[in-house]
Every structure is written in C-alpha cells, then in structure tokens.
mmCIF file of all heavy atoms in Angstrom:
data_model
loop_
_atom_site.group_PDB
_atom_site.id
_atom_site.type_symbol
_atom_site.label_atom_id
_atom_site.label_comp_id
_atom_site.label_asym_id
_atom_site.label_seq_id
_atom_site.Cartn_x
_atom_site.Cartn_y
_atom_site.Cartn_z
ATOM 1 N N MET A 1 2.858 -23.596 9.315
ATOM 2 C CA MET A 1 3.340 -22.896 8.134
ATOM 3 C C MET A 1 3.419 -21.401 8.458
ATOM 4 O O MET A 1 2.535 -20.849 9.086
ATOM 5 C CB MET A 1 2.380 -23.134 6.966
ATOM 6 C CG MET A 1 2.871 -22.495 5.685
ATOM 7 S SD MET A 1 1.747 -22.677 4.291
ATOM 8 C CE MET A 1 1.690 -24.418 4.079
ATOM 9 N N SER A 2 4.473 -20.774 8.027
ATOM 10 C CA SER A 2 4.678 -19.360 8.290
ATOM 11 C C SER A 2 4.407 -18.551 7.020
ATOM 12 O O SER A 2 4.968 -18.829 5.969
ATOM 13 C CB SER A 2 6.111 -19.125 8.757
ATOM 14 O OG SER A 2 6.327 -17.769 8.978
ATOM 15 N N PHE A 3 3.531 -17.561 7.133
ATOM 16 C CA PHE A 3 3.208 -16.712 5.997
ATOM 17 C C PHE A 3 3.874 -15.361 6.175
ATOM 18 O O PHE A 3 3.921 -14.816 7.269
ATOM 19 C CB PHE A 3 1.693 -16.543 5.857
ATOM 20 C CG PHE A 3 1.003 -17.819 5.491
ATOM 21 C CD1 PHE A 3 0.387 -18.594 6.457
ATOM 22 C CD2 PHE A 3 0.981 -18.245 4.175
ATOM 23 C CE1 PHE A 3 -0.251 -19.772 6.121
ATOM 24 C CE2 PHE A 3 0.347 -19.429 3.826
ATOM 25 C CZ PHE A 3 -0.266 -20.196 4.803
ATOM 26 N N PHE A 4 4.369 -14.814 5.087
ATOM 27 C CA PHE A 4 5.083 -13.554 5.150
ATOM 28 C C PHE A 4 4.219 -12.367 4.757
ATOM 29 O O PHE A 4 4.539 -11.234 5.069
ATOM 30 C CB PHE A 4 6.326 -13.603 4.278
ATOM 31 C CG PHE A 4 7.274 -14.708 4.681
ATOM 32 C CD1 PHE A 4 7.654 -15.676 3.789
ATOM 33 C CD2 PHE A 4 7.761 -14.772 5.978
ATOM 34 C CE1 PHE A 4 8.522 -16.684 4.168
ATOM 35 C CE2 PHE A 4 8.626 -15.779 6.374
ATOM 36 C CZ PHE A 4 9.004 -16.739 5.462
ATOM 37 N N ILE A 5 3.129 -12.621 4.048
ATOM 38 C CA ILE A 5 2.181 -11.572 3.696
ATOM 39 C C ILE A 5 0.834 -12.025 4.239
ATOM 40 O O ILE A 5 0.318 -13.075 3.851
ATOM 41 C CB ILE A 5 2.121 -11.341 2.179
ATOM 42 C CG1 ILE A 5 3.501 -10.947 1.663
ATOM 43 C CG2 ILE A 5 1.084 -10.279 1.841
ATOM 44 C CD1 ILE A 5 3.609 -10.835 0.170
ATOM 45 N N ILE A 6 0.279 -11.229 5.159
ATOM 46 C CA ILE A 6 -0.955 -11.613 5.853
ATOM 47 C C ILE A 6 -1.962 -10.465 5.793
ATOM 48 O O ILE A 6 -1.580 -9.323 5.534
ATOM 49 C CB ILE A 6 -0.665 -11.967 7.325
ATOM 50 C CG1 ILE A 6 -0.100 -10.752 8.066
ATOM 51 C CG2 ILE A 6 0.262 -13.174 7.426
ATOM 52 C CD1 ILE A 6 -0.046 -10.907 9.569
ATOM 53 N N PRO A 7 -3.244 -10.742 6.042
ATOM 54 C CA PRO A 7 -4.202 -9.644 6.167
ATOM 55 C C PRO A 7 -3.761 -8.729 7.316
ATOM 56 O O PRO A 7 -3.364 -9.202 8.378
ATOM 57 C CB PRO A 7 -5.510 -10.352 6.506
ATOM 58 C CG PRO A 7 -5.332 -11.743 5.998
ATOM 59 C CD PRO A 7 -3.873 -12.050 6.159
ATOM 60 N N ALA A 8 -3.778 -7.441 7.076
ATOM 61 C CA ALA A 8 -3.301 -6.485 8.075
ATOM 62 C C ALA A 8 -4.244 -6.431 9.273
ATOM 63 O O ALA A 8 -5.460 -6.324 9.096
ATOM 64 C CB ALA A 8 -3.179 -5.103 7.462
ATOM 65 N N PRO A 9 -3.679 -6.489 10.468
ATOM 66 C CA PRO A 9 -4.521 -6.364 11.653
ATOM 67 C C PRO A 9 -5.292 -5.047 11.618
ATOM 68 O O PRO A 9 -4.732 -4.003 11.283
ATOM 69 C CB PRO A 9 -3.521 -6.380 12.806
ATOM 70 C CG PRO A 9 -2.311 -7.059 12.246
ATOM 71 C CD PRO A 9 -2.285 -6.685 10.793
ATOM 72 N N TYR A 10 -6.555 -5.093 11.921
ATOM 73 C CA TYR A 10 -7.460 -3.939 11.986
ATOM 74 C C TYR A 10 -7.792 -3.327 10.627
ATOM 75 O O TYR A 10 -8.661 -2.485 10.531
ATOM 76 C CB TYR A 10 -6.920 -2.829 12.909
ATOM 77 C CG TYR A 10 -6.548 -3.317 14.277
ATOM 78 C CD1 TYR A 10 -5.234 -3.507 14.645
ATOM 79 C CD2 TYR A 10 -7.543 -3.623 15.209
ATOM 80 C CE1 TYR A 10 -4.892 -3.977 15.901
ATOM 81 C CE2 TYR A 10 -7.224 -4.099 16.465
ATOM 82 C CZ TYR A 10 -5.896 -4.277 16.811
ATOM 83 O OH TYR A 10 -5.572 -4.743 18.054
ATOM 84 N N MET A 11 -7.084 -3.698 9.555
ATOM 85 C CA MET A 11 -7.338 -3.102 8.243
ATOM 86 C C MET A 11 -7.690 -4.150 7.185
ATOM 87 O O MET A 11 -7.882 -3.811 6.020
ATOM 88 C CB MET A 11 -6.129 -2.292 7.775
ATOM 89 C CG MET A 11 -5.856 -1.060 8.603
ATOM 90 S SD MET A 11 -7.241 0.105 8.673
ATOM 91 C CE MET A 11 -7.238 0.738 7.025
ATOM 92 N N ALA A 12 -7.785 -5.393 7.563
ATOM 93 C CA ALA A 12 -8.081 -6.460 6.603
ATOM 94 C C ALA A 12 -9.437 -6.245 5.934
ATOM 95 O O ALA A 12 -9.607 -6.559 4.756
ATOM 96 C CB ALA A 12 -8.032 -7.817 7.289
ATOM 97 N N LYS A 13 -10.373 -5.662 6.654
ATOM 98 C CA LYS A 13 -11.695 -5.424 6.064
ATOM 99 C C LYS A 13 -11.628 -4.414 4.926
ATOM 100 O O LYS A 13 -12.526 -4.335 4.103
ATOM 101 C CB LYS A 13 -12.694 -4.971 7.131
ATOM 102 C CG LYS A 13 -12.400 -3.624 7.744
ATOM 103 C CD LYS A 13 -13.415 -3.284 8.820
ATOM 104 C CE LYS A 13 -13.077 -1.956 9.476
ATOM 105 N NZ LYS A 13 -13.997 -1.660 10.550
ATOM 106 N N HIS A 14 -10.532 -3.665 4.854
ATOM 107 C CA HIS A 14 -10.324 -2.705 3.762
ATOM 108 C C HIS A 14 -9.371 -3.266 2.711
ATOM 109 O O HIS A 14 -8.858 -2.530 1.876
ATOM 110 C CB HIS A 14 -9.763 -1.389 4.309
ATOM 111 C CG HIS A 14 -10.696 -0.713 5.262
ATOM 112 N ND1 HIS A 14 -11.881 -0.143 4.863
ATOM 113 C CD2 HIS A 14 -10.627 -0.538 6.598
ATOM 114 C CE1 HIS A 14 -12.499 0.363 5.916
ATOM 115 N NE2 HIS A 14 -11.759 0.125 6.984
ATOM 116 N N MET A 15 -9.116 -4.584 2.791
ATOM 117 C CA MET A 15 -8.264 -5.304 1.847
ATOM 118 C C MET A 15 -6.785 -4.929 1.955
ATOM 119 O O MET A 15 -6.033 -5.055 1.001
ATOM 120 C CB MET A 15 -8.728 -5.097 0.403
ATOM 121 C CG MET A 15 -10.151 -5.468 0.174
ATOM 122 S SD MET A 15 -10.303 -7.269 0.226
ATOM 123 C CE MET A 15 -11.743 -7.499 -0.750
ATOM 124 N N TRP A 16 -6.343 -4.452 3.099
ATOM 125 C CA TRP A 16 -4.931 -4.129 3.312
ATOM 126 C C TRP A 16 -4.217 -5.389 3.763
ATOM 127 O O TRP A 16 -4.806 -6.280 4.363
ATOM 128 C CB TRP A 16 -4.782 -3.054 4.378
ATOM 129 C CG TRP A 16 -5.152 -1.680 3.934
ATOM 130 C CD1 TRP A 16 -6.164 -1.337 3.086
ATOM 131 C CD2 TRP A 16 -4.552 -0.461 4.347
ATOM 132 N NE1 TRP A 16 -6.214 0.018 2.942
ATOM 133 C CE2 TRP A 16 -5.235 0.581 3.704
ATOM 134 C CE3 TRP A 16 -3.495 -0.148 5.188
ATOM 135 C CZ2 TRP A 16 -4.889 1.916 3.880
ATOM 136 C CZ3 TRP A 16 -3.161 1.173 5.367
ATOM 137 C CH2 TRP A 16 -3.849 2.185 4.714
ATOM 138 N N VAL A 17 -2.934 -5.448 3.471
ATOM 139 C CA VAL A 17 -2.114 -6.574 3.915
ATOM 140 C C VAL A 17 -0.904 -6.056 4.681
ATOM 141 O O VAL A 17 -0.537 -4.892 4.575
ATOM 142 C CB VAL A 17 -1.631 -7.445 2.732
ATOM 143 C CG1 VAL A 17 -2.807 -8.078 2.007
ATOM 144 C CG2 VAL A 17 -0.770 -6.655 1.777
ATOM 145 N N ALA A 18 -0.304 -6.932 5.427
ATOM 146 C CA ALA A 18 0.929 -6.628 6.157
ATOM 147 C C ALA A 18 2.024 -7.550 5.623
ATOM 148 O O ALA A 18 1.798 -8.749 5.445
ATOM 149 C CB ALA A 18 0.738 -6.850 7.649
ATOM 150 N N VAL A 19 3.169 -6.971 5.357
ATOM 151 C CA VAL A 19 4.316 -7.754 4.903
ATOM 152 C C VAL A 19 5.188 -7.997 6.129
ATOM 153 O O VAL A 19 5.824 -7.097 6.647
ATOM 154 C CB VAL A 19 5.109 -7.011 3.807
ATOM 155 C CG1 VAL A 19 6.299 -7.847 3.367
ATOM 156 C CG2 VAL A 19 4.202 -6.694 2.623
ATOM 157 N N ARG A 20 5.179 -9.233 6.614
ATOM 158 C CA ARG A 20 5.910 -9.560 7.838
ATOM 159 C C ARG A 20 7.396 -9.763 7.590
ATOM 160 O O ARG A 20 8.210 -9.608 8.495
ATOM 161 C CB ARG A 20 5.317 -10.815 8.462
ATOM 162 C CG ARG A 20 3.864 -10.604 8.894
ATOM 163 C CD ARG A 20 3.240 -11.861 9.380
ATOM 164 N NE ARG A 20 3.693 -12.095 10.757
ATOM 165 C CZ ARG A 20 3.471 -13.216 11.402
ATOM 166 N NH1 ARG A 20 2.823 -14.196 10.834
ATOM 167 N NH2 ARG A 20 3.897 -13.349 12.634
ATOM 168 N N LYS A 21 7.734 -10.127 6.356
ATOM 169 C CA LYS A 21 9.143 -10.351 6.014
ATOM 170 C C LYS A 21 9.386 -9.744 4.630
ATOM 171 O O LYS A 21 9.165 -10.399 3.612
ATOM 172 C CB LYS A 21 9.452 -11.850 6.009
ATOM 173 C CG LYS A 21 10.914 -12.157 5.801
ATOM 174 C CD LYS A 21 11.171 -13.642 5.908
ATOM 175 C CE LYS A 21 12.648 -13.921 5.665
ATOM 176 N NZ LYS A 21 12.914 -15.354 5.649
ATOM 177 N N PRO A 22 9.827 -8.487 4.591
ATOM 178 C CA PRO A 22 10.023 -7.817 3.299
ATOM 179 C C PRO A 22 10.940 -8.569 2.338
ATOM 180 O O PRO A 22 10.787 -8.466 1.130
ATOM 181 C CB PRO A 22 10.625 -6.472 3.689
ATOM 182 C CG PRO A 22 10.153 -6.249 5.086
ATOM 183 C CD PRO A 22 10.097 -7.615 5.707
ATOM 184 N N SER A 23 11.855 -9.350 2.854
ATOM 185 C CA SER A 23 12.757 -10.088 1.976
ATOM 186 C C SER A 23 12.041 -11.213 1.222
ATOM 187 O O SER A 23 12.632 -11.849 0.344
ATOM 188 C CB SER A 23 13.934 -10.648 2.766
ATOM 189 O OG SER A 23 13.482 -11.578 3.735
ATOM 190 N N ALA A 24 10.762 -11.454 1.554
ATOM 191 C CA ALA A 24 9.989 -12.469 0.836
ATOM 192 C C ALA A 24 9.672 -12.012 -0.586
ATOM 193 O O ALA A 24 9.332 -12.821 -1.436
ATOM 194 C CB ALA A 24 8.705 -12.781 1.585
ATOM 195 N N LEU A 25 9.789 -10.697 -0.833
ATOM 196 C CA LEU A 25 9.560 -10.139 -2.165
ATOM 197 C C LEU A 25 10.848 -9.522 -2.682
ATOM 198 O O LEU A 25 11.673 -9.058 -1.900
ATOM 199 C CB LEU A 25 8.487 -9.039 -2.096
ATOM 200 C CG LEU A 25 7.100 -9.451 -1.628
ATOM 201 C CD1 LEU A 25 6.265 -8.231 -1.330
ATOM 202 C CD2 LEU A 25 6.424 -10.296 -2.683
ATOM 203 N N LYS A 26 10.984 -9.488 -3.994
ATOM 204 C CA LYS A 26 12.123 -8.792 -4.585
ATOM 205 C C LYS A 26 11.950 -7.303 -4.310
ATOM 206 O O LYS A 26 10.833 -6.801 -4.226
ATOM 207 C CB LYS A 26 12.185 -9.041 -6.082
ATOM 208 C CG LYS A 26 12.470 -10.475 -6.441
ATOM 209 C CD LYS A 26 12.475 -10.659 -7.936
ATOM 210 C CE LYS A 26 12.661 -12.126 -8.283
ATOM 211 N NZ LYS A 26 12.514 -12.362 -9.709
ATOM 212 N N LYS A 27 13.069 -6.608 -4.172
ATOM 213 C CA LYS A 27 13.037 -5.184 -3.811
ATOM 214 C C LYS A 27 12.218 -4.368 -4.806
ATOM 215 O O LYS A 27 11.387 -3.549 -4.402
ATOM 216 C CB LYS A 27 14.462 -4.646 -3.723
ATOM 217 C CG LYS A 27 14.551 -3.270 -3.141
ATOM 218 C CD LYS A 27 15.999 -2.861 -2.943
ATOM 219 C CE LYS A 27 16.072 -1.492 -2.312
ATOM 220 N NZ LYS A 27 17.443 -1.093 -2.035
ATOM 221 N N ASP A 28 12.400 -4.605 -6.101
ATOM 222 C CA ASP A 28 11.661 -3.837 -7.096
ATOM 223 C C ASP A 28 10.177 -4.193 -7.099
ATOM 224 O O ASP A 28 9.323 -3.341 -7.334
ATOM 225 C CB ASP A 28 12.271 -3.996 -8.490
ATOM 226 C CG ASP A 28 12.302 -5.434 -8.973
ATOM 227 O OD1 ASP A 28 12.347 -6.356 -8.141
ATOM 228 O OD2 ASP A 28 12.298 -5.641 -10.206
ATOM 229 N N GLU A 29 9.864 -5.451 -6.789
ATOM 230 C CA GLU A 29 8.469 -5.875 -6.714
ATOM 231 C C GLU A 29 7.774 -5.197 -5.525
ATOM 232 O O GLU A 29 6.647 -4.696 -5.657
ATOM 233 C CB GLU A 29 8.396 -7.394 -6.575
ATOM 234 C CG GLU A 29 6.998 -7.953 -6.593
ATOM 235 C CD GLU A 29 6.966 -9.474 -6.476
ATOM 236 O OE1 GLU A 29 7.973 -10.077 -6.050
ATOM 237 O OE2 GLU A 29 5.922 -10.047 -6.809
ATOM 238 N N LEU A 30 8.450 -5.157 -4.389
ATOM 239 C CA LEU A 30 7.889 -4.503 -3.207
ATOM 240 C C LEU A 30 7.698 -3.009 -3.462
ATOM 241 O O LEU A 30 6.650 -2.440 -3.140
ATOM 242 C CB LEU A 30 8.796 -4.727 -1.991
ATOM 243 C CG LEU A 30 8.317 -4.130 -0.671
ATOM 244 C CD1 LEU A 30 6.950 -4.669 -0.280
ATOM 245 C CD2 LEU A 30 9.337 -4.410 0.426
ATOM 246 N N ALA A 31 8.674 -2.365 -4.094
ATOM 247 C CA ALA A 31 8.576 -0.931 -4.402
ATOM 248 C C ALA A 31 7.398 -0.653 -5.329
ATOM 249 O O ALA A 31 6.661 0.321 -5.137
ATOM 250 C CB ALA A 31 9.870 -0.444 -5.031
ATOM 251 N N LYS A 32 7.191 -1.526 -6.309
ATOM 252 C CA LYS A 32 6.070 -1.354 -7.238
ATOM 253 C C LYS A 32 4.734 -1.480 -6.505
ATOM 254 O O LYS A 32 3.811 -0.696 -6.732
ATOM 255 C CB LYS A 32 6.151 -2.385 -8.357
ATOM 256 C CG LYS A 32 5.063 -2.251 -9.388
ATOM 257 C CD LYS A 32 5.186 -3.303 -10.469
ATOM 258 C CE LYS A 32 3.999 -3.195 -11.412
ATOM 259 N NZ LYS A 32 3.890 -4.342 -12.296
ATOM 260 N N LEU A 33 4.621 -2.448 -5.609
ATOM 261 C CA LEU A 33 3.382 -2.631 -4.855
ATOM 262 C C LEU A 33 3.095 -1.442 -3.932
ATOM 263 O O LEU A 33 1.955 -0.997 -3.827
ATOM 264 C CB LEU A 33 3.457 -3.930 -4.038
ATOM 265 C CG LEU A 33 3.434 -5.218 -4.854
ATOM 266 C CD1 LEU A 33 3.741 -6.414 -3.963
ATOM 267 C CD2 LEU A 33 2.098 -5.395 -5.553
ATOM 268 N N VAL A 34 4.135 -0.915 -3.310
ATOM 269 C CA VAL A 34 3.964 0.256 -2.440
ATOM 270 C C VAL A 34 3.526 1.460 -3.267
ATOM 271 O O VAL A 34 2.620 2.201 -2.877
ATOM 272 C CB VAL A 34 5.261 0.554 -1.644
ATOM 273 C CG1 VAL A 34 5.171 1.899 -0.949
ATOM 274 C CG2 VAL A 34 5.521 -0.557 -0.638
ATOM 275 N N GLU A 35 4.142 1.646 -4.415
ATOM 276 C CA GLU A 35 3.781 2.774 -5.285
ATOM 277 C C GLU A 35 2.332 2.653 -5.763
ATOM 278 O O GLU A 35 1.579 3.638 -5.756
ATOM 279 C CB GLU A 35 4.715 2.840 -6.484
ATOM 280 C CG GLU A 35 4.445 4.038 -7.372
ATOM 281 C CD GLU A 35 5.416 4.138 -8.530
ATOM 282 O OE1 GLU A 35 6.422 3.410 -8.565
ATOM 283 O OE2 GLU A 35 5.151 4.964 -9.419
ATOM 284 N N GLU A 36 1.925 1.467 -6.166
ATOM 285 C CA GLU A 36 0.538 1.245 -6.604
ATOM 286 C C GLU A 36 -0.440 1.532 -5.471
ATOM 287 O O GLU A 36 -1.492 2.138 -5.688
ATOM 288 C CB GLU A 36 0.354 -0.181 -7.111
ATOM 289 C CG GLU A 36 1.002 -0.456 -8.442
ATOM 290 C CD GLU A 36 0.864 -1.904 -8.881
ATOM 291 O OE1 GLU A 36 0.027 -2.646 -8.317
ATOM 292 O OE2 GLU A 36 1.606 -2.306 -9.785
ATOM 293 N N SER A 37 -0.095 1.122 -4.264
ATOM 294 C CA SER A 37 -0.955 1.371 -3.106
ATOM 295 C C SER A 37 -1.084 2.860 -2.835
ATOM 296 O O SER A 37 -2.176 3.366 -2.565
ATOM 297 C CB SER A 37 -0.384 0.675 -1.862
ATOM 298 O OG SER A 37 -0.339 -0.702 -2.066
ATOM 299 N N TYR A 38 0.033 3.575 -2.930
ATOM 300 C CA TYR A 38 0.032 5.019 -2.725
ATOM 301 C C TYR A 38 -0.902 5.698 -3.725
ATOM 302 O O TYR A 38 -1.716 6.542 -3.357
ATOM 303 C CB TYR A 38 1.457 5.569 -2.862
ATOM 304 C CG TYR A 38 1.538 7.068 -2.800
ATOM 305 C CD1 TYR A 38 1.576 7.727 -1.579
ATOM 306 C CD2 TYR A 38 1.572 7.841 -3.959
ATOM 307 C CE1 TYR A 38 1.641 9.106 -1.504
ATOM 308 C CE2 TYR A 38 1.638 9.223 -3.902
ATOM 309 C CZ TYR A 38 1.673 9.847 -2.675
ATOM 310 O OH TYR A 38 1.730 11.207 -2.615
ATOM 311 N N VAL A 39 -0.802 5.306 -4.977
ATOM 312 C CA VAL A 39 -1.638 5.906 -6.022
ATOM 313 C C VAL A 39 -3.115 5.617 -5.757
ATOM 314 O O VAL A 39 -3.965 6.510 -5.891
ATOM 315 C CB VAL A 39 -1.212 5.403 -7.423
ATOM 316 C CG1 VAL A 39 -2.217 5.814 -8.484
ATOM 317 C CG2 VAL A 39 0.165 5.918 -7.771
ATOM 318 N N LEU A 40 -3.446 4.408 -5.362
ATOM 319 C CA LEU A 40 -4.843 4.062 -5.076
ATOM 320 C C LEU A 40 -5.408 4.916 -3.943
ATOM 321 O O LEU A 40 -6.536 5.402 -4.025
ATOM 322 C CB LEU A 40 -4.959 2.572 -4.719
ATOM 323 C CG LEU A 40 -4.782 1.587 -5.863
ATOM 324 C CD1 LEU A 40 -4.690 0.165 -5.319
ATOM 325 C CD2 LEU A 40 -5.916 1.713 -6.859
ATOM 326 N N VAL A 41 -4.622 5.093 -2.887
ATOM 327 C CA VAL A 41 -5.078 5.898 -1.750
ATOM 328 C C VAL A 41 -5.166 7.370 -2.142
ATOM 329 O O VAL A 41 -6.156 8.045 -1.870
ATOM 330 C CB VAL A 41 -4.154 5.702 -0.523
ATOM 331 C CG1 VAL A 41 -4.499 6.683 0.575
ATOM 332 C CG2 VAL A 41 -4.257 4.265 -0.016
ATOM 333 N N ARG A 42 -4.123 7.878 -2.819
ATOM 334 C CA ARG A 42 -4.101 9.284 -3.232
ATOM 335 C C ARG A 42 -5.299 9.624 -4.112
ATOM 336 O O ARG A 42 -5.917 10.678 -3.970
ATOM 337 C CB ARG A 42 -2.812 9.600 -3.985
ATOM 338 C CG ARG A 42 -2.672 11.080 -4.319
ATOM 339 C CD ARG A 42 -1.585 11.367 -5.302
ATOM 340 N NE ARG A 42 -1.949 10.768 -6.576
ATOM 341 C CZ ARG A 42 -1.096 10.307 -7.462
ATOM 342 N NH1 ARG A 42 0.188 10.348 -7.243
ATOM 343 N NH2 ARG A 42 -1.515 9.784 -8.599
ATOM 344 N N ASN A 43 -5.661 8.735 -5.034
ATOM 345 C CA ASN A 43 -6.763 9.000 -5.954
ATOM 346 C C ASN A 43 -8.122 9.083 -5.267
ATOM 347 O O ASN A 43 -9.071 9.598 -5.856
ATOM 348 C CB ASN A 43 -6.791 7.962 -7.069
ATOM 349 C CG ASN A 43 -5.645 8.118 -8.031
ATOM 350 O OD1 ASN A 43 -4.994 9.163 -8.082
ATOM 351 N ND2 ASN A 43 -5.371 7.086 -8.803
ATOM 352 N N LYS A 44 -8.224 8.607 -4.059
ATOM 353 C CA LYS A 44 -9.490 8.691 -3.324
ATOM 354 C C LYS A 44 -9.578 9.941 -2.456
ATOM 355 O O LYS A 44 -10.616 10.215 -1.874
ATOM 356 C CB LYS A 44 -9.688 7.437 -2.468
ATOM 357 C CG LYS A 44 -9.940 6.220 -3.332
ATOM 358 C CD LYS A 44 -10.332 5.026 -2.520
ATOM 359 C CE LYS A 44 -10.608 3.878 -3.464
ATOM 360 N NZ LYS A 44 -11.447 2.875 -2.882
ATOM 361 N N LEU A 45 -8.497 10.695 -2.386
ATOM 362 C CA LEU A 45 -8.487 11.925 -1.608
ATOM 363 C C LEU A 45 -9.155 13.044 -2.391
ATOM 364 O O LEU A 45 -9.252 12.986 -3.618
ATOM 365 C CB LEU A 45 -7.040 12.332 -1.291
ATOM 366 C CG LEU A 45 -6.261 11.394 -0.380
ATOM 367 C CD1 LEU A 45 -4.795 11.815 -0.343
ATOM 368 C CD2 LEU A 45 -6.849 11.377 1.010
ATOM 369 N N PRO A 46 -9.613 14.093 -1.693
ATOM 370 C CA PRO A 46 -10.166 15.251 -2.396
ATOM 371 C C PRO A 46 -9.127 15.838 -3.356
ATOM 372 O O PRO A 46 -7.919 15.780 -3.102
ATOM 373 C CB PRO A 46 -10.486 16.240 -1.271
ATOM 374 C CG PRO A 46 -10.604 15.400 -0.043
ATOM 375 C CD PRO A 46 -9.669 14.240 -0.246
ATOM 376 N N LYS A 47 -9.599 16.403 -4.452
ATOM 377 C CA LYS A 47 -8.709 16.931 -5.493
ATOM 378 C C LYS A 47 -7.726 17.959 -4.949
ATOM 379 O O LYS A 47 -6.563 17.997 -5.356
ATOM 380 C CB LYS A 47 -9.524 17.554 -6.638
ATOM 381 C CG LYS A 47 -10.403 16.563 -7.357
ATOM 382 C CD LYS A 47 -9.596 15.537 -8.095
ATOM 383 C CE LYS A 47 -10.515 14.562 -8.800
ATOM 384 N NZ LYS A 47 -9.817 13.414 -9.304
ATOM 385 N N LYS A 48 -8.167 18.788 -4.012
ATOM 386 C CA LYS A 48 -7.287 19.825 -3.447
ATOM 387 C C LYS A 48 -6.081 19.185 -2.755
ATOM 388 O O LYS A 48 -4.942 19.636 -2.912
ATOM 389 C CB LYS A 48 -8.066 20.691 -2.468
ATOM 390 C CG LYS A 48 -7.304 21.851 -1.912
ATOM 391 C CD LYS A 48 -8.190 22.727 -1.033
ATOM 392 C CE LYS A 48 -7.400 23.901 -0.511
ATOM 393 N NZ LYS A 48 -8.252 24.786 0.313
ATOM 394 N N ILE A 49 -6.310 18.146 -2.007
ATOM 395 C CA ILE A 49 -5.219 17.466 -1.298
ATOM 396 C C ILE A 49 -4.327 16.726 -2.295
ATOM 397 O O ILE A 49 -3.110 16.692 -2.155
ATOM 398 C CB ILE A 49 -5.776 16.525 -0.215
ATOM 399 C CG1 ILE A 49 -6.479 17.353 0.860
ATOM 400 C CG2 ILE A 49 -4.662 15.679 0.410
ATOM 401 C CD1 ILE A 49 -7.175 16.547 1.915
ATOM 402 N N GLN A 50 -4.932 16.140 -3.328
ATOM 403 C CA GLN A 50 -4.141 15.478 -4.360
ATOM 404 C C GLN A 50 -3.149 16.450 -4.985
ATOM 405 O O GLN A 50 -1.989 16.114 -5.216
ATOM 406 C CB GLN A 50 -5.042 14.906 -5.455
ATOM 407 C CG GLN A 50 -5.818 13.682 -5.038
ATOM 408 C CD GLN A 50 -6.638 13.131 -6.179
ATOM 409 O OE1 GLN A 50 -6.243 13.186 -7.347
ATOM 410 N NE2 GLN A 50 -7.804 12.583 -5.875
ATOM 411 N N GLU A 51 -3.601 17.657 -5.272
ATOM 412 C CA GLU A 51 -2.728 18.670 -5.865
ATOM 413 C C GLU A 51 -1.586 19.032 -4.912
ATOM 414 O O GLU A 51 -0.454 19.233 -5.340
ATOM 415 C CB GLU A 51 -3.528 19.928 -6.236
ATOM 416 C CG GLU A 51 -4.413 19.735 -7.436
ATOM 417 C CD GLU A 51 -3.661 19.331 -8.687
ATOM 418 O OE1 GLU A 51 -2.566 19.906 -8.928
ATOM 419 O OE2 GLU A 51 -4.132 18.455 -9.414
ATOM 420 N N GLN A 52 -1.872 19.123 -3.625
ATOM 421 C CA GLN A 52 -0.834 19.441 -2.643
ATOM 422 C C GLN A 52 0.235 18.346 -2.601
ATOM 423 O O GLN A 52 1.402 18.604 -2.433
ATOM 424 C CB GLN A 52 -1.444 19.625 -1.260
ATOM 425 C CG GLN A 52 -2.284 20.873 -1.133
ATOM 426 C CD GLN A 52 -2.993 20.962 0.215
ATOM 427 O OE1 GLN A 52 -3.037 19.993 0.965
ATOM 428 N NE2 GLN A 52 -3.554 22.119 0.492
ATOM 429 N N LEU A 53 -0.184 17.111 -2.767
ATOM 430 C CA LEU A 53 0.756 15.982 -2.737
ATOM 431 C C LEU A 53 1.651 15.949 -3.966
ATOM 432 O O LEU A 53 2.757 15.427 -3.921
ATOM 433 C CB LEU A 53 0.004 14.664 -2.601
ATOM 434 C CG LEU A 53 -0.685 14.416 -1.266
ATOM 435 C CD1 LEU A 53 -1.520 13.157 -1.331
ATOM 436 C CD2 LEU A 53 0.322 14.334 -0.154
ATOM 437 N N ARG A 54 1.182 16.484 -5.060
ATOM 438 C CA ARG A 54 1.950 16.464 -6.300
ATOM 439 C C ARG A 54 3.067 17.521 -6.299
ATOM 440 O O ARG A 54 3.950 17.479 -7.121
ATOM 441 C CB ARG A 54 1.035 16.668 -7.490
ATOM 442 C CG ARG A 54 0.167 15.461 -7.731
ATOM 443 C CD ARG A 54 -0.551 15.528 -9.045
ATOM 444 N NE ARG A 54 -1.335 14.303 -9.209
ATOM 445 C CZ ARG A 54 -2.643 14.268 -9.368
ATOM 446 N NH1 ARG A 54 -3.333 15.381 -9.424
ATOM 447 N NH2 ARG A 54 -3.267 13.124 -9.487
ATOM 448 N N LYS A 55 3.011 18.476 -5.390
ATOM 449 C CA LYS A 55 4.010 19.547 -5.349
ATOM 450 C C LYS A 55 5.268 19.103 -4.660
ATOM 451 O O LYS A 55 5.372 18.251 -3.906
ATOM 452 C CB LYS A 55 3.446 20.768 -4.656
ATOM 453 C CG LYS A 55 2.309 21.384 -5.431
ATOM 454 C CD LYS A 55 1.759 22.580 -4.725
ATOM 455 C CE LYS A 55 0.593 23.146 -5.521
ATOM 456 N NZ LYS A 55 -0.011 24.276 -4.900
#
C-alpha cells in the first residue's frame, strides 16, 4: 500500500509529516494546512521575531 502523507523523516518525533504526493489533497485543503502549520511555528518564536515576520 502506498501512503501519500507519512511521518516526516527526522522530524516525526515533533509530529511533523511529509506530503509525498501533494495532489492527494485538494489545493485549498493543502494551503490551509500549510498556513495552520506556519501559525503554530510562528507562535512559538520569541515575540520580537514574531513582530518582524508580521512586517
């Protein structure tokens, strides 16, 4: 069986995944997941860096 979304190599322990075939998801669904991931990572950064990213 071939899976298109798998635990990311070297980052699975941090709950990251790898999308091996982007066409397995609808374009808007993939964009939403990427945006949510960006927000989660950004929110863990120091406030000063968060402000720089918002500019």
